[in-house]
Every structure is written in C-alpha cells, then in structure tokens.
Amino acid sequence: MTSPCYREQHLEPLPTDLLRKPLDYVLADHLRQRLLCVLCEQLADAKLLDTDIAEEVVAYLKTDMVVHVIDEEQDLFPLIRRRAQEEDDIEEALGQLSGEHAGVEDLVQAITVELEGSLGISSQSLSDDLRQGLRDFAKNERLHLALENAIIMPLAKVRLTERDLKELAARMAARRGILLN
C-alpha cells in the first residue's frame, strides 16, 4: 500500500546545476527512483490505469533510468574501483549492483512495453502479470537503492578525489547534453 502523501508528486527533473556535485546528483536521483517505486505501486494497486502516472513511469524508465545506470556503470563504479582500498572490500557489492542493473532490463522492458500498449485505451485495467512486475520492480529497486546509499555513496564521498568528481560531473553533464562552466 502506498502512502497518500505521494499522490500528487511527480518525477520532476533535477536541477542541472546539481551536476556540479555529481554525488549529490546521484543521491537526488535515488530519491526520484524511490518516488518511481511509489508510482509503480500506485499503478499496480489501481483498478484502472492512471495514464498520467503510466506516462511518467514509462518516460523515466526509458530515459532517466537508462542514463542513471550508464552514469554508475561507466563512470562512478569504475572510479570507486580505482580509488577503493583493500580494506574497503567493495568488489562484491559493486558486482551485485552491476548484476542487478543487467538483470532488471527484461523486467523494465516488459513494463514499458505493456504500459505503452495500454496508453490511449480508455478504462484499461492492467494484467496481473504487469501488476506483479510493477510490484517486483519497486521492491527490488528499493533494495538496490538501499545498498547504493548505505555502502557505495558513503565510500565514494570518502575515496573520490576532487579531480575524480570534476571529471565525473563533466561526463554526466555531457551525457545529458549539458556544458558545465
């Protein structure tokens, strides 16, 4: 069951200036992903498809989520691997997160395809499989975010250098077509 306090919330874009602090940007996007989980559960719990929420979920999954995973897989995780100390013992956690990124692709694809197919059909109810897929995605994503927020992000704050952070910010901004001064 979802909290009524989320009913009117939307997945607002993050301020582009926040990219100057890339770890803060990632954490802010993690908050958006938690809201995404709530929206997925709202879709799963509703008798009929809420097209506004469905469009928002599909848009996030097809764009922002893809870019976020690339930020982590191509930039953040490799930087952490380079800077981690032996006592950090981080490889297992990073490997688990990368496996989860890869493993969720089929579920996300199934969710987006079925939601897109349902848009534009009035009084559309969701299939039981889609409802379960939305719930599974939300549950798994929350666990994924908990690991990232509890272990990866604090380690990144301690281990990454100023130069690492500037390069990370530039790469993340470029990926979004934004030029940082």
Side-chain angles (χ1 to χ4, degrees):
M1 190 72 157
T2 57
S3 169
C5 68
Y6 286 107
R7 297 237 190 270
E8 297 300 321
Q9 292 194 19
H10 300 282
L11 295 166
E12 300 294 333
L14 295 175
T16 56
D17 250 13
L18 192 55
L19 283 165
R20 294 180 194 289
K21 296 181 176 184
L23 299 181
D24 291 346
Y25 190 94
V26 170
L27 286 168
D29 206 26
H30 286 176
L31 287 175
R32 291 173 71 216
Q33 290 172 24
R34 290 186 62 77
L35 177 56
L36 173 72
C37 293
V38 170
L39 296 176
C40 286
E41 289 171 335
Q42 286 179 356
L43 285 173
D45 293 344
K47 291 189 187 306
L48 297 175
L49 178 68
D50 182 320
T51 57
D52 291 338
I53 293 175
E55 287 173 351
E56 201 162 356
V57 166
V58 167
Y60 188 89
L61 290 174
K62 290 180 76 172
T63 57
D64 295 30
M65 187 79 153
V66 171
V67 174
H68 180 86
V69 169
I70 293 169
D71 288 340
E72 291 179 347
E73 291 295 330
Q74 291 185 8
D75 294 316
L76 181 59
F77 292 178
L79 276 172
I80 292 170
R81 280 185 173 99
R82 282 197 300 272
R83 299 292 180 230
Q85 313 252 328
E86 187 175 336
E87 67 266 17
D88 295 334
D89 195 24
I90 197 66
E91 191 53 46
E92 184 177 339
L94 289 172
Q96 177 182 334
L97 291 169
S98 291
E100 290 171 3
H101 283 155
V104 77
E105 287 178 15
D106 288 341
L107 179 57
V108 167
Q109 176 71 13
I111 288 170
T112 56
V113 165
E114 191 164 343
L115 283 177
E116 285 178 320
S118 298
L119 293 171
I121 301 173
S122 62
S123 301
Q124 176 71 21
S125 63
L126 301 180
S127 71
D128 290 340
D129 285 345
L130 178 55
R131 290 177 193 282
Q132 190 59 51
L134 288 161
R135 288 184 187 106
D136 289 346
F137 173 81
K139 177 184 173 188
N140 294 338
E141 189 64 16
R142 283 189 180 104
L143 293 171
H144 180 89
L145 292 169
L147 178 58
E148 286 185 343
N149 289 345
I151 296 174
I152 304 305
M153 298 309 291
L155 183 64
K157 287 183 177 189
V158 170
R159 297 288 186 228
L160 299 186
T161 67
E162 279 302 313
R163 183 175 179 195
D164 291 337
L165 295 172
K166 284 182 183 180
E167 289 175 7
L168 179 60
R171 289 180 57 88
M172 288 172 60
R175 195 169 284 121
R176 291 161 176 79
I178 298 167
L179 180 63
L180 295 178
N181 295 332

